[in-house]
Amino acid sequence: MKHRRTKAGRTLNARLDHRNPLVFDTHELGRRPGAMQRLSRTVEAPGGDGIFGIAGVIGVPEGAEVRLDLRLESVMEGVLVTGTAHATAEGECVRCLEPLDLTLDADFQEMFSYPDVDDRGRPSARQDDTADEEGEEDRLFVEDGLFDLEPVLRDAVVLALPMQPVCREDCPGLCSECGVRLADDPDHHHDAVDIRWAALQGLAETVQDGEKDVPRRGGDDSQEK
């Protein structure tokens, strides 16, 4: 599944750290077209932006377990990586605001190009300093036999998450008048008052209160007589 990238590709001048759990080594795969390798790895969700997903909505918390199932294929242009990330995302229901957990299976596929071949898979005479040409910044590369899966994984997780997560499909949400969670009180309701009579009802209550404050003079007159 090809996807839209949310981060620019890594420049060729940046060296990858093989100790990073999201950096993979392709030396065993080799560069013979048709070679394939399957890998499984469990890593911790990276931080950086604070949440591995949609900020303020839902995501995989930093440090949470992410299980990766990958297939690496050697092609003329580079290494084609296909895989699935399995994790648990955390967020809150957009209707009732209750916390929720979501089992996540994010599929992805990405080409990591060899820096010394062109778009047609032929050896290229271009040097690394030409990597800033138009369109090049969106490509990802194999560098010294290594590739970094993190930007691809971030994109895949974002696309697999719901923009408006709910605790259940039929969640009734909150009462618009008092904020009570309707799922906890299905019979919850408020007596409807016709706004055309609400003002008159208030006026009548005011008149009644005024009459209570007016002193009765009839009793005093009888005593004087």
Side-chain angles (χ1 to χ4, degrees), residues 81-191:
V81 179
T82 305
T84 303
H86 310 276
T88 299
E90 298 178 1
E92 66 177 26
C93 176
V94 296
R95 297 178 187 170
C96 68
L97 307 183
E98 286 293 304
L100 61 83
D101 293 335
L102 176 67
T103 300
L104 176 70
D105 296 309
D107 297 325
F108 53 87
Q109 185 176 77
E110 186 67 41
M111 171 68 71
F112 289 84
S113 302
Y114 294 130
D116 56 350
V117 297
D118 61 17
D119 292 336
R120 289 166 291 185
R122 300 183 303 188
S124 172
R126 293 182 301 172
Q127 301 299 317
D128 289 354
D129 58 6
T130 63
D132 58 351
E133 294 181 1
E134 183 178 358
E136 197 81 353
E137 66 274 7
D138 290 330
R139 296 176 62 187
L140 294 175
F141 292 89
V142 177
E143 306 167 34
D144 298 327
L146 305 175
F147 68 86
D148 184 5
L149 193 64
E150 180 176 339
V152 176
L153 193 56
R154 283 189 179 276
D155 288 355
V157 167
V158 169
L159 290 176
L161 289 171
M163 294 296 295
Q164 294 187 316
V166 291
C167 59
R168 67 188 201 196
E169 291 299 325
D170 60 345
C171 174
L174 304 175
C175 174
S176 59
E177 295 190 35
C178 66
V180 168
R181 187 169 181 262
L182 298 177
D184 296 333
D185 186 5
D187 297 327
H188 177 82
H189 71 281
H190 295 270
D191 293 332

Side-chain angles (χ1 to χ4, degrees), residues 1-10 20-24 43-56 58-64 66-68 70 81 83-87 89 104-110 112 140 147-163:
M1 179 184 66
K2 201 70 175 179
H3 55 271
R4 179 179 57 84
R5 186 174 312 288
T6 58
K7 293 180 63 178
R10 178 185 295 271
N20 185 330
L22 287 175
V23 171
F24 291 81
V43 302
E44 293 184 354
D49 297 331
I51 191 169
F52 193 41
I54 305 172
I58 189 171
V60 181
E62 180 178 356
V66 180
R67 182 166 57 86
L68 301 173
L70 306 177
V81 179
T84 303
H86 310 276
L104 176 70
D105 296 309
D107 297 325
F108 53 87
Q109 185 176 77
E110 186 67 41
F112 289 84
L140 294 175
F147 68 86
D148 184 5
L149 193 64
E150 180 176 339
V152 176
L153 193 56
R154 283 189 179 276
D155 288 355
V157 167
V158 169
L159 290 176
L161 289 171
M163 294 296 295

